[in-house]
């Protein structure tokens, strides 16, 4: 399967909201990793962050925003190809992904 290069348009306010959330997660997780390396945080700290900051819902919202834009601009065949590629991802708790990913 090959996805050919092309542009997908999205409303700027939605892109900014997704980027803001992703930036918060990346910076916060980096800081948590540094704290773990320094011994001032443990695995439960990351779990509290994920729960307290509603990370799963916010990431699902980001995925939805991108999915809506793709659905509006691509054919059903292209969407099916993208879905198949996404299904090949690594998922925590899946066989082969192990507990460390």
């Amino acid at each position: 399967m090959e996805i050919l290069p092309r542009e997908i348009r999205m409303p700027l306010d939605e892109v900014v909201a997704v980027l803001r959330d992703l930036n918060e997660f990346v910076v916060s997780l980096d800081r948590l990793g540094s704290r773990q390396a320094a011994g001032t945080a443990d695995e439960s700290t990351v779990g509290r962050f994920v729960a307290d900051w509603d990370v799963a819902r916010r990431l699902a919202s980001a995925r939805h925003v991108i999915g809506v834009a793709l659905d509006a601009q691509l054919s059903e065949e292209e969407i099916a190809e993208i879905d198949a590629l996404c299904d090949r991802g690594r998922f925590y708790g899946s066989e082969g992904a192990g507990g460390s990913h």
Side-chain angles (χ1 to χ4, degrees):
M1 251 180 269
E2 182 181 347
I3 301 293
L4 299 176
R6 62 192 280 193
E7 293 183 19
I8 299 296
R9 298 182 61 84
M10 294 174 57
L12 182 58
D13 62 330
E14 293 179 9
V15 170
V16 170
V18 167
L19 285 174
R20 184 185 59 235
D21 281 349
L22 293 175
N23 189 55
E24 287 180 14
F25 300 148
V26 168
V27 171
S28 296
L29 289 169
D30 181 62
R31 289 179 181 172
L32 285 166
S34 294
R35 286 183 56 199
Q36 283 181 316
T40 60
D42 60 19
E43 289 80 16
S44 67
T45 308
V46 175
R48 283 194 308 275
F49 164 72
V50 169
D52 292 349
W53 286 50
D54 204 12
V55 172
R57 185 198 57 78
R58 291 169 65 191
L59 287 173
S61 177
R63 181 180 62 187
H64 175 76
V65 166
I66 295 168
V68 167
L70 294 174
D71 287 344
Q73 299 172 62
L74 299 177
S75 69
E76 287 184 29
E77 181 179 280
E78 291 169 313
I79 295 295
E81 286 182 33
I82 291 169
D83 288 345
L85 289 171
C86 289
D87 286 343
R88 292 185 194 165
R90 293 183 349 187
F91 303 99
Y92 184 85
S94 299
E95 189 174 319
S100 62
H101 297 166

